[in-house]
Structure formats: structure tokens, C-alpha cells
Amino acid sequence: MKVNIASNVLKVLLILFSLGVIFAGVYILPTLANEMVYIYPELEYAKLPILIACELLLGLLMFGIGIIMYLLILFDRGNTFSLRFTRGLEILTGMCIIATIGIMILLGYMNTIGGPGPLPAMIMVGSIIVIWIIAAVIMLVKSIVKKAIVYKDDYDLTV
């Protein structure tokens, strides 16, 4: 029973986080882009590509949250030790790699127009490191689940 409560709390928190991400993508990022162009008018041509790249990264985050919700549903139904669960973890790992590549491309593009500045550059590099840590944890969980599937199958055969 306590596991279901924790799962439901996580689902609610993920929904609230998703609403925050949607708000950031719809209102905050375009507002920030307009303010940056107002402060630095020479960056008018770079506003749209950077905004689109950031929106795509937020879309990737939303898709990842959807996959995590799907994995939680599988967990609630007792399908943790299934190939669908491990496949979902593999997709999440691939999405972490795509997000890392996207941030690196965005950082490289911003360097061609004068650089993002020291604080945004450190935040982007820090984000890449955090994404790598998350990907490593997901790969570890995937390998644990795969080993558990083998042990479960062996146990089912012996009983």
C-alpha cells in the first residue's frame, strides 16, 4: 500500500512539474527572448533559432516525463520485470543522449555569436553533467531490472 502512495505522489509531482514546464515554454522563454533582444538588439537574428532549440529541449523533457509516467503505470500494475519496462528505460537513456547533444549544439551556436556569458555557459555545462548522471542511473536501474528478470525466470522454473 505504501508503494502505491509513493507512486501516486510521484505522479502528482510530475504533473505539477509538467505544468511548470509548459508555463516556462509558453510564457517565460518567449518573454526572456524578447527582453534579451531589447537589451542586445544585435542578436535579433539569433532569437528565433535559440528559442526554437530551447522549446525543442522542453518538448523532449515533456516526452521524457510522459515515459516516466508510463513506467510508473507499469510499476503499479506489477509489470516492473518485463521487457516493456526495460525498453522504456532504454528510451529514457537515448533521450538523455539526445538532450546532451542538443545542449552542446546550442552552446556551440551561442559561441559563434559571442558566447552565452559565463553564468549561462556554466549552467549549460552543469545541465549536461546532471543529464549524464541521470542517464547513468537509468542504465544502472535497467541492468538491475534485467538481472532481476533472469533471477525471476530461474525462480519461476524451480518452483
Side-chain angles (χ1 to χ4, degrees), residues 122-150:
M122 288 190 321
I123 290 172
M124 292 172 88
V125 170
S127 298
I128 290 171
I129 292 171
V130 167
I131 291 170
W132 287 347
I133 292 169
I134 291 170
V137 169
I138 291 170
M139 290 189 308
L140 178 66
V141 169
K142 183 187 83 154
S143 66
I144 290 170
V145 170
K146 278 191 170 186
K147 282 187 180 184
I149 290 172
V150 171

Side-chain angles (χ1 to χ4, degrees), residues 21-36:
V21 169
I22 291 170
F23 177 71
V26 171
Y27 180 73
I28 294 175
L29 281 180
T31 303
L32 284 175
N34 289 332
E35 287 181 12
M36 290 308 293

Side-chain angles (χ1 to χ4, degrees), residues 41 59 107:
L107 185 60

Side-chain angles (χ1 to χ4, degrees), residues 32-102:
L32 284 175
N34 289 332
E35 287 181 12
M36 290 308 293
V37 169
Y38 180 73
I39 295 169
Y40 303 107
E42 65 271 8
L43 296 179
E44 176 68 36
Y45 68 94
K47 173 186 136 183
L48 190 60
I50 293 173
L51 184 60
I52 289 172
C54 291
E55 295 284 346
L56 287 174
L57 286 170
L58 284 180
L60 189 66
L61 177 64
M62 290 298 295
F63 187 66
I65 291 171
I67 290 176
I68 292 171
M69 292 290 270
Y70 171 72
L71 292 175
L72 283 170
I73 291 169
L74 286 178
F75 175 77
D76 289 341
R77 293 182 180 164
N79 293 329
T80 306
F81 304 110
S82 66
L83 293 177
R84 291 188 302 176
F85 194 84
T86 57
R87 184 70 182 143
L89 293 173
E90 289 172 357
I91 291 171
L92 282 176
T93 304
M95 290 175 60
C96 287
I97 293 169
I98 292 170
T100 299
I101 293 169

Side-chain angles (χ1 to χ4, degrees), residues 3 17 64 93 98 105 154-156 159:
V3 174
F17 182 70
T93 304
I98 292 170
I105 290 172
D154 289 344
Y155 178 76
D156 288 346
V159 172

